Amino acid sequence: MKLSEIIEILKAQVICDSDLSLDYEIKTACGSDMMSDALAFVKDQGMLLTGLLNPQSVRTAEMLDMKCIAFVRGKIPGDEIIKLAKDRGIALLSTKYRMFTACGRLYSKGLGGGCDEE
Amino acid sequence: MQPIIKTYVIPGDDFTHAGEASGKVKAMLKQLGYDSDAVRRIAIAMYEAEINMVIHADGGKATVEIHPDRVELTLQDSGPGIEDVELAMQEGYSTAPDEVRALGFGAGMGLPNIKKYTDDMKIESIVGTGTKIYMLVKAGKTS
């Protein structure tokens, strides 16, 4: 799924694009407020949906080679998080949807979790 | 061939910068041309160990040895030590306080994740003295 489609489906505000193309293809996603749960997920070209608003959400995405984070429940990250994300080339979005709804909207449009069980 | 050896000081009680050393190691391995899947596994394992060190042990030291066919990491701290290593290895077991959970960690997945992503892992821990975690990930260059 293209980043542009994700932005549209989540009705998201782009906090910073970090030079990531709107055509960037995101293949899988993971939704979690617990970073170790996200770190148990190791798929290429994924995105993270989280309500966790601290630098560790960016660092977790960095370790996982994720290029996009969507903050749910309308959360807006502070300058420190935005700077870290820009340095790491990670786009930040903010959506007003809650975690369950945000994940459900993306899943129903075809973005999977990349898990064997699906 | 001599390995490349790098040492990093992990500052304690600095949650904002936790993960910086792992990020540097990841960037260096990528630049050296190591296989991206192995680099990701190394980065995740080191990051979990680094976070543990910041949460539980007031920081410590990380040593990374980069060989042509593998990467070995040793993270050593002078923290309180782990009372029951076998129990700590179980998924979901955590002694992290609530404020750490509020920061997104302490789900009891750190050590199990390290085990999952490494080809070898050893923990030596003495209560009151500290903990040493050794990790090995087989890794080769793609080019």
Side-chain angles (χ1 to χ4, degrees), chain B residues 17 20 26-27 38 56 69 72 76 81 94 97 119-120 127-128:
Chain B
H17 293 99
E20 246 177 39
K26 183 174 189 195
H56 296 289
D69 63 341
E72 294 178 45
Q76 191 157 15
S94 175
D119 295 300
D120 191 19
V127 173

Short mmCIF file of all heavy atoms in Angstrom, two decimals, chain B residues 17 20 26-27 38 56 69 72 76 81 94 97 119-120 127-128:
data_model
loop_
_atom_site.label_atom_id
_atom_site.label_comp_id
_atom_site.label_asym_id
_atom_site.label_seq_id
_atom_site.Cartn_x
_atom_site.Cartn_y
_atom_site.Cartn_z
N HIS B 17 18.06 8.91 25.26
CA HIS B 17 19.16 8.53 24.37
C HIS B 17 19.39 7.03 24.31
O HIS B 17 20.27 6.57 23.59
CB HIS B 17 20.44 9.27 24.76
CG HIS B 17 20.32 10.75 24.52
ND1 HIS B 17 20.03 11.63 25.53
CD2 HIS B 17 20.38 11.48 23.38
CE1 HIS B 17 19.94 12.85 25.02
NE2 HIS B 17 20.15 12.79 23.72
N GLU B 20 20.86 4.74 21.18
CA GLU B 20 21.78 5.43 20.27
C GLU B 20 22.92 4.53 19.82
O GLU B 20 23.29 4.51 18.65
CB GLU B 20 22.34 6.69 20.95
CG GLU B 20 21.86 7.91 20.23
CD GLU B 20 22.32 9.20 20.88
OE1 GLU B 20 23.46 9.29 21.35
OE2 GLU B 20 21.49 10.11 20.90
N LYS B 26 24.05 -0.38 13.96
CA LYS B 26 23.25 -0.74 12.79
C LYS B 26 23.74 0.00 11.54
O LYS B 26 23.93 -0.61 10.49
CB LYS B 26 21.77 -0.41 13.05
CG LYS B 26 20.91 -0.83 11.91
CD LYS B 26 19.44 -0.67 12.16
CE LYS B 26 18.74 -1.35 11.00
NZ LYS B 26 17.36 -1.02 10.88
N ALA B 27 23.94 1.30 11.69
CA ALA B 27 24.39 2.12 10.55
C ALA B 27 25.76 1.65 10.06
O ALA B 27 26.00 1.56 8.84
CB ALA B 27 24.44 3.59 10.96
N ALA B 38 20.27 -9.85 8.77
CA ALA B 38 21.17 -10.06 9.92
C ALA B 38 21.38 -8.75 10.67
O ALA B 38 21.37 -8.72 11.90
CB ALA B 38 22.49 -10.64 9.46
N HIS B 56 17.33 -1.14 34.14
CA HIS B 56 17.60 -1.92 35.35
C HIS B 56 18.96 -1.65 35.99
O HIS B 56 19.14 -1.96 37.17
CB HIS B 56 17.53 -3.42 35.03
CG HIS B 56 16.18 -3.89 34.60
ND1 HIS B 56 15.11 -3.98 35.48
CD2 HIS B 56 15.71 -4.30 33.40
CE1 HIS B 56 14.05 -4.43 34.82
NE2 HIS B 56 14.39 -4.63 33.56
N ASP B 69 32.17 -13.28 9.23
CA ASP B 69 31.04 -14.21 9.18
C ASP B 69 30.08 -14.09 10.36
O ASP B 69 29.11 -14.83 10.46
CB ASP B 69 31.57 -15.65 9.12
CG ASP B 69 32.36 -16.02 10.37
OD1 ASP B 69 32.79 -15.08 11.09
OD2 ASP B 69 32.53 -17.21 10.63
N GLU B 72 29.67 -10.39 17.21
CA GLU B 72 29.53 -10.77 18.62
C GLU B 72 29.39 -9.50 19.44
O GLU B 72 30.11 -8.54 19.26
CB GLU B 72 30.78 -11.55 19.08
CG GLU B 72 30.93 -12.89 18.38
CD GLU B 72 32.19 -13.63 18.81
OE1 GLU B 72 32.46 -13.69 20.02
OE2 GLU B 72 32.90 -14.11 17.92
N GLN B 76 27.80 -5.35 29.30
CA GLN B 76 28.12 -5.62 30.70
C GLN B 76 27.72 -4.43 31.57
O GLN B 76 28.00 -3.28 31.22
CB GLN B 76 29.62 -5.86 30.81
CG GLN B 76 30.02 -6.40 32.16
CD GLN B 76 31.35 -7.15 32.11
OE1 GLN B 76 32.09 -7.04 31.14
NE2 GLN B 76 31.63 -7.90 33.15
N GLY B 81 21.87 -7.17 39.06
CA GLY B 81 21.91 -8.59 38.69
C GLY B 81 20.52 -9.18 38.56
O GLY B 81 19.53 -8.57 38.96
N SER B 94 8.45 -9.82 33.87
CA SER B 94 9.17 -8.55 33.95
C SER B 94 9.21 -8.04 35.37
O SER B 94 8.25 -8.22 36.13
CB SER B 94 8.48 -7.51 33.06
OG SER B 94 9.10 -6.25 33.22
N PRO B 97 9.36 -1.48 36.69
CA PRO B 97 8.30 -0.72 37.37
C PRO B 97 7.29 -0.13 36.38
O PRO B 97 7.57 -0.06 35.17
CB PRO B 97 9.06 0.39 38.10
CG PRO B 97 10.37 0.51 37.39
CD PRO B 97 10.66 -0.82 36.77
N ASP B 119 21.92 -16.11 17.23
CA ASP B 119 22.25 -17.53 17.02
C ASP B 119 22.85 -18.14 18.27
O ASP B 119 22.86 -19.36 18.43
CB ASP B 119 23.23 -17.64 15.84
CG ASP B 119 22.58 -17.21 14.55
OD1 ASP B 119 21.57 -17.83 14.16
OD2 ASP B 119 23.03 -16.22 13.94
N ASP B 120 23.35 -17.31 19.15
CA ASP B 120 23.83 -17.79 20.45
C ASP B 120 23.69 -16.65 21.44
O ASP B 120 23.85 -15.48 21.09
CB ASP B 120 25.31 -18.22 20.34
CG ASP B 120 25.77 -18.97 21.60
OD1 ASP B 120 24.90 -19.46 22.36
OD2 ASP B 120 27.00 -19.06 21.82
N VAL B 127 23.91 -11.52 41.51
CA VAL B 127 23.10 -10.54 42.25
C VAL B 127 24.02 -9.64 43.07
O VAL B 127 24.91 -10.11 43.77
CB VAL B 127 22.07 -11.27 43.15
CG1 VAL B 127 21.34 -10.28 44.06
CG2 VAL B 127 21.06 -12.02 42.29
N GLY B 128 23.82 -8.35 42.90
CA GLY B 128 24.61 -7.38 43.65
C GLY B 128 25.90 -6.98 42.93
O GLY B 128 26.58 -6.03 43.34
#
